[in-house]
Amino acid sequence: MITLEQCRVWDQADELAALRQQFDLPDGIIYLDGNSLGVLPRSAMSRAQDVIRREWGADLINSWNKAGWWSLPVRLGDHVAPLVGAGAGEIVVTDTASLNLFKVLANAVRIQNSRHPEKKIILAERDAFPTDLYMIQGLIELLDQGYALQLLDEPGDLATAVTEQTAVVVLSHVNYRTGYLYDMEAVTGLVHAHDALIIWDLCHSIGAVPMNLKAADADFAIGCTYKYLNGGPGAPAMLWANPRHHGALWQPLSGWWGHARPFDMSTEFVPATGIRSFLCGTQPIVSMSLIACGVDIFRQTDMQIIRSKSLRLTDLFIQLVEQECAGLDMMLITPLDHQHRGSHVSFRHPQGYAVLQALIARGVIGDYREPEVMRFGVTPLYLGYSDIWHAVQNLKAVLQDREWDQDRFRVRGLVT
Amino acid sequence: MITLEQCRVWDQADELAALRQQFDLPDGIIYLDGNSLGVLPRSAMSRAQDVIRREWGADLINSWNKAGWWSLPVRLGDHVAPLVGAGAGEIVVTDTASLNLFKVLANAVRIQNSRHPEKKIILAERDAFPTDLYMIQGLIELLDQGYALQLLDEPGDLATAVTEQTAVVVLSHVNYRTGYLYDMEAVTGLVHAHDALIIWDLCHSIGAVPMNLKAADADFAIGCTYKYLNGGPGAPAMLWANPRHHGALWQPLSGWWGHARPFDMSTEFVPATGIRSFLCGTQPIVSMSLIACGVDIFRQTDMQIIRSKSLRLTDLFIQLVEQECAGLDMMLITPLDHQHRGSHVSFRHPQGYAVLQALIARGVIGDYREPEVMRFGVTPLYLGYSDIWHAVQNLKAVLQDREWDQDRFRVRGLVT
């Protein structure tokens, strides 16, 4: 039997506990949705004030040089790089994860077309974060060159799904719904063994699980900064290309910021060398400047320590649901195996949507994803063991007392 | 002879003078670069604090519904619409102007391909804002379907340049360098007479000159929010499609926010109906939320009043340069004809770059564009007649005393 007292003992011994003070968390809330929108770092407000008052208001156009707006996408990329096993000058932070996927996919398709023009399959998961599938479909339709999207039903089918027809594989490192975590190095090796290229979507793993893009020898990666990294709502996304590909970088969203010499104002697009060629148009400086506030907190610890606590917290969540909610229709869909678990746990329940709304009404914030899935994100920087205890106690009350069985919990918001 | 006293009389009678108090302008500066980066509205800081503290920090993920993040791109579009002669539900604010050009160009090319597949020319100006040319080149290269970019040398050549081969014409409503203003209605008519479609780039005209996209029957338009609209550095851009095309909207950057029912999490992309189909990925909410602060100030007056003062200010600038700087190598490249002048004036000078740096050292902020061009933006909401007087007096001093002839004024910044 796990008890609240035991959770408190673990909290006392938690070496990450002090970092919680660097976030501005709302009172009376247990926030288990950092996998969707990270919380507010305390330093973000003063950073925003400085960017707005000094960089924009006082220094105006001079801030392109003086405040370094010009180099911000690359500087932020270097800041994020240690979290994903990338080097300096290998990442830009720019645009959105969806757009960045479009860019690297166009690049990967072009590389493959020059080497293996007969390869026409882009392989992705049926259970991919849907926007990835939509962007792949958009590029395939625009290209109109016979490419086709093949959908993988289960991670276990990957070894047989990748064939000599496969040009590019797009996978979520951690699945947004189930929390399934791929072995990046093994899968990259499998994909390369078939002369295919791999694009990793890190949206649900960056800042959540350790990874080493270079050691895995991956080809491209894209990811959010506003989930586990706490960069702020809709903050621009990251994009990584293996330096191995730097001689063959190309992308069609060729805007001024990706030009080799943008202030020559020449009529011909000449791409910048290296990762800067993935930049396009002018970036939202205020939102972008806040990203560093979240990433700074990660730099006070390391991803192995975060991972260790993350697994203890997800284990605890799973064990407490078994212990406290047995017989109440909660069905775990997240892998029990640590090797294949990200940093969120998901359960199906026949009334998943209403259960989750009832839980939110009690101040425990998770989110819902079709079909019937309740997701609970675990963020070691600002969550403790007792938080998990109280979350599950609230869940137990909602289920035992059928609190969910009210019309008000069945009303769907515009965004679910 | 125009005198400072005369300018002060005009300032006294200026019905827009009071609006200057709604901006936070740095002391001791005359800012003539609002055509590149607009100034800070006083309301932006409290808006940012509210978005960061309440919407992000306190309400977190719930803000998608509660704070209306979900509808923000369309609500901002409706807010901007009256400034460009568009109706409700016709504009979204999202992504960057470069990306939005890519989207509407892909849409226009597809429409033309279904009607006139033999048309393969995309016509744009040699003197277009370069990123427009780069995005056109990127799409042409990606499509690889025989499209070609034809460059127009002079606005006067347009009537002969548009032919039966022309599929799409992309023009800047106001030229970023010269300030040349096209007659939107006449040019749209000319383009349509050749069964071509027109995309207007409004980056240097939105909030600067009145326009009526619907009366002109234009096809598509894109534009910045961070120049004359004072939306903040790199704030997301606007995109308009004529409702006439709403049955044929399509764009390849098909991300989740443009899906008809994104929370169904379906594997197939089904575009939203109407203008929302031009949305793609998650937007930078903090930057985006500040756009309304700038646009709100426009709504306290109207574009005809702004235009009237803009022309008086650019006339004054030109006349004062003639009066005060005669024989000092200033060569006007902006049209004298009001019908063809936007809201900035540009001069060539053999030492344009150094002259401009010397002027900036005196607190008069303009900007420089190759070759040899000094640009001075005129923004009636926060500039008065005396400001123009003092700007030209400083210019005169820089030129007469050859203040520009110092090494420190020849050093180029990363961004010019």
Side-chain angles (χ1 to χ4, degrees):
Chain A
M1 281 287 285
I2 300 166
T3 61
L4 175 57
E5 288 62 40
Q6 177 61 62
C7 292
R8 284 177 176 153
V9 170
W10 289 328
D11 281 333
Q12 288 295 326
D14 176 11
E15 63 181 309
L16 294 176
L19 293 181
R20 183 181 180 128
Q21 298 311 315
Q22 300 189 29
F23 296 97
D24 203 348
L25 296 165
D27 293 333
I29 293 291
I30 299 174
Y31 191 65
L32 300 170
D33 211 3
N35 52 315
S36 184
L37 174 65
V39 300
L40 173 61
R42 284 195 193 277
S43 62
M45 182 61 83
S46 60
R47 181 80 188 102
Q49 286 168 340
D50 188 51
V51 173
I52 292 171
R53 193 167 286 142
R54 182 176 58 85
E55 297 186 9
W56 175 14
D59 291 341
L60 284 157
I61 203 72
N62 191 27
S63 287
W64 279 98
N65 292 305
K66 190 174 168 186
W69 289 353
W70 168 249
S71 58
L72 190 55
V74 175
R75 284 188 290 121
L76 284 173
D78 289 351
H79 209 55
V80 166
L83 299 180
V84 294
E90 295 179 12
I91 293 178
V92 279
V93 173
T94 189
D95 293 327
T96 65
S98 297
L99 289 165
N100 288 345
L101 177 60
F102 189 90
K103 297 174 197 170
V104 297
L105 181 60
N107 200 158
V109 163
R110 172 171 281 221
I111 290 171
Q112 288 294 66
N113 193 45
S114 71
R115 294 177 184 169
H116 310 286
E118 74 288 357
K119 286 174 172 278
K120 293 292 187 190
I121 296 294
I122 298 166
L123 179 66
E125 292 173 285
R126 189 178 299 283
D127 198 24
F129 196 53
T131 202
D132 289 3
L133 301 180
Y134 305 156
M135 297 307 292
I136 297 168
Q137 290 164 19
L139 182 65
I140 286 176
E141 185 174 348
L142 184 66
L143 282 175
D144 194 21
Q145 292 169 9
Y147 287 93
L149 171 60
Q150 178 187 337
L151 294 179
L152 179 73
D153 283 309
E154 293 288 339
D157 299 342
L158 190 65
T160 50
V162 184
T163 71
E164 65 277 18
Q165 307 301 316
T166 310
V168 184
V169 179
V170 179
L171 290 176
S172 289
H173 188 206
V174 169
N175 184 277
Y176 81 100
R177 234 167 34 85
T178 63
Y180 181 91
L181 167 68
Y182 276 105
D183 179 333
M184 182 182 276
E185 190 163 344
V187 169
T188 298
L190 169 70
V191 169
H192 286 177
H194 291 82
D195 289 326
L197 297 178
I198 184 138
I199 297 169
W200 287 106
D201 176 339
L202 309 179
C203 286
H204 295 83
S205 65
I206 188 169
V209 298
M211 69 187 84
N212 195 321
L213 287 165
K214 278 172 93 168
D217 198 33
D219 295 292
F220 299 95
I222 58 103
C224 290
T225 62
Y226 56 78
K227 297 180 189 284
Y228 292 96
L229 295 186
N230 308 300
M238 55 78 68
L239 182 159
W240 173 81
N242 193 316
R244 186 163 46 77
H245 292 306
H246 278 203
L249 298 184
W250 174 84
Q251 61 100 358
L253 305 176
S254 44
W256 74 270
W257 211 332
H259 195 285
R261 294 171 303 280
F263 299 99
D264 285 3
M265 297 282 170
S266 69
T267 56
E268 282 295 313
F269 184 74
V270 180
T273 53
I275 200 70
R276 201 164 65 72
S277 64
F278 285 101
L279 301 178
C280 178
T282 308
Q283 292 301 297
I285 297 293
V286 181
S287 281
M288 196 146 169
S289 298
L290 306 187
I291 294 172
C293 302
V295 178
D296 280 344
I297 302 172
F298 280 84
R299 292 162 69 98
Q300 299 167 42
T301 176
D302 73 56
M303 285 307 305
Q304 297 299 338
I305 294 170
I306 290 172
R307 174 62 171 170
S308 170
K309 181 174 168 188
S310 162
L311 285 170
R312 292 188 66 191
L313 289 173
T314 52
D315 276 345
L316 177 63
F317 200 113
I318 293 167
Q319 288 159 8
L320 284 174
V321 169
E322 284 177 1
Q323 174 181 306
E324 303 290 318
C325 307
L328 293 170
D329 294 328
M330 293 288 286
M331 189 179 86
L332 180 70
I333 64 167
T334 298
L336 281 172
D337 177 5
H338 285 184
Q339 300 298 316
H340 289 298
R341 190 194 307 163
S343 197
H344 65 277
V345 289
S346 298
F347 296 86
R348 287 183 74 146
H349 183 282
Q351 297 293 335
Y353 185 84
V355 171
L356 194 82
Q357 302 316 307
L359 205 49
I360 289 172
R362 284 173 158 268
V364 178
I365 318 289
D367 67 15
Y368 175 79
R369 289 294 177 263
E370 294 291 350
E372 301 182 355
V373 174
M374 293 182 277
R375 297 195 304 180
F376 302 102
V378 153
T379 47
L381 295 181
Y382 53 86
L383 279 178
Y385 298 87
S386 303
D387 292 322
I388 304 298
W389 171 271
H390 292 300
V392 176
Q393 289 302 313
N394 277 283
L395 176 63
K396 179 183 182 180
V398 166
L399 294 169
Q400 270 189 341
D401 306 342
R402 292 177 64 93
E403 275 183 20
W404 53 264
D405 195 9
Q406 301 175 52
D407 286 346
R408 64 180 174 128
F409 295 139
R410 295 201 183 85
V411 178
R412 301 279 174 130
L414 283 166
V415 180
T416 59
Chain B
M1 282 287 284
I2 300 167
T3 61
L4 176 57
E5 289 61 41
Q6 178 61 64
C7 291
R8 285 176 175 153
V9 170
W10 288 327
D11 281 333
Q12 288 295 327
D14 175 10
E15 65 180 307
L16 294 177
L19 293 181
R20 182 180 181 128
Q21 298 310 315
Q22 300 190 28
F23 296 98
D24 203 348
L25 296 164
D27 293 333
I29 292 291
I30 299 174
Y31 192 65
L32 300 170
D33 213 1
N35 52 315
S36 184
L37 175 64
V39 299
L40 173 62
R42 283 196 194 277
S43 62
M45 182 61 83
S46 59
R47 180 79 189 102
Q49 287 167 341
D50 189 50
V51 173
I52 292 171
R53 193 166 288 142
R54 183 176 57 84
E55 296 185 9
W56 175 14
D59 291 341
L60 284 157
I61 203 71
N62 191 26
S63 287
W64 279 98
N65 292 307
K66 190 173 167 188
W69 290 351
W70 169 248
S71 59
L72 190 56
V74 175
R75 285 188 289 121
L76 284 172
D78 288 351
H79 209 55
V80 165
L83 300 179
V84 294
E90 295 179 13
I91 293 178
V92 278
V93 173
T94 188
D95 293 327
T96 66
S98 297
L99 288 164
N100 288 346
L101 177 60
F102 189 91
K103 297 174 198 170
V104 297
L105 181 60
N107 199 160
V109 163
R110 171 170 283 221
I111 290 170
Q112 289 294 66
N113 193 48
S114 71
R115 293 177 185 171
H116 309 285
E118 74 288 357
K119 286 173 172 279
K120 292 292 186 190
I121 297 293
I122 298 167
L123 180 66
E125 291 175 284
R126 188 177 298 285
D127 198 23
F129 195 53
T131 201
D132 289 3
L133 301 180
Y134 306 156
M135 297 308 292
I136 297 169
Q137 289 164 20
L139 182 65
I140 286 176
E141 185 175 349
L142 183 67
L143 282 175
D144 194 21
Q145 292 170 9
Y147 287 94
L149 171 60
Q150 178 187 336
L151 294 179
L152 179 73
D153 283 311
E154 295 288 339
D157 299 343
L158 189 65
T160 51
V162 183
T163 71
E164 65 276 18
Q165 306 302 314
T166 311
V168 184
V169 180
V170 179
L171 290 176
S172 288
H173 188 206
V174 169
N175 184 277
Y176 81 100
R177 234 168 35 85
T178 65
Y180 181 91
L181 167 67
Y182 277 105
D183 179 332
M184 182 181 276
E185 189 163 345
V187 169
T188 298
L190 169 70
V191 169
H192 286 176
H194 291 82
D195 290 327
L197 297 177
I198 185 142
I199 297 169
W200 287 106
D201 176 339
L202 309 178
C203 286
H204 294 83
S205 65
I206 188 169
V209 299
M211 69 187 83
N212 195 319
L213 287 165
K214 277 173 94 169
D217 198 32
D219 295 292
F220 298 96
I222 58 101
C224 290
T225 62
Y226 56 79
K227 298 181 188 284
Y228 292 95
L229 295 186
N230 308 301
M238 54 78 67
L239 182 159
W240 172 81
N242 194 314
R244 187 163 44 77
H245 292 305
H246 278 202
L249 297 184
W250 175 84
Q251 61 101 358
L253 305 177
S254 42
W256 74 268
W257 211 333
H259 195 285
R261 293 170 305 279
F263 299 98
D264 284 2
M265 298 280 170
S266 69
T267 57
E268 282 294 313
F269 184 74
V270 179
T273 53
I275 199 69
R276 202 164 65 72
S277 65
F278 286 101
L279 300 178
C280 178
T282 309
Q283 292 300 298
I285 297 295
V286 181
S287 282
M288 196 146 170
S289 298
L290 307 186
I291 294 172
C293 301
V295 178
D296 280 344
I297 302 173
F298 280 84
R299 293 163 68 98
Q300 298 167 44
T301 176
D302 72 57
M303 283 307 305
Q304 297 299 337
I305 293 169
I306 289 170
R307 174 63 170 170
S308 170
K309 181 175 169 189
S310 163
L311 286 170
R312 292 188 66 192
L313 290 173
T314 52
D315 276 344
L316 177 63
F317 200 112
I318 293 166
Q319 289 159 7
L320 285 174
V321 169
E322 283 176 1
Q323 174 181 306
E324 304 290 317
C325 307
L328 293 171
D329 295 326
M330 292 288 286
M331 190 179 86
L332 180 70
I333 64 168
T334 298
L336 281 171
D337 177 3
H338 285 184
Q339 300 297 317
H340 289 298
R341 190 194 306 162
S343 198
H344 65 276
V345 289
S346 298
F347 296 85
R348 286 185 74 146
H349 183 283
Q351 297 293 334
Y353 185 84
V355 171
L356 193 82
Q357 301 316 306
L359 205 51
I360 290 172
R362 283 171 158 271
V364 178
I365 317 289
D367 67 15
Y368 175 79
R369 287 294 177 264
E370 294 292 350
E372 302 183 354
V373 174
M374 293 182 278
R375 296 194 306 180
F376 303 102
V378 153
T379 46
L381 294 181
Y382 53 87
L383 279 178
Y385 298 88
S386 303
D387 293 322
I388 304 297
W389 171 271
H390 293 300
V392 176
Q393 290 301 312
N394 278 283
L395 176 63
K396 181 182 180 179
V398 165
L399 293 170
Q400 271 189 341
D401 306 342
R402 294 177 62 92
E403 275 184 19
W404 53 265
D405 195 8
Q406 301 175 52
D407 286 345
R408 65 180 174 128
F409 294 140
R410 294 200 184 83
V411 178
R412 301 279 174 126
L414 283 166
V415 180
T416 60

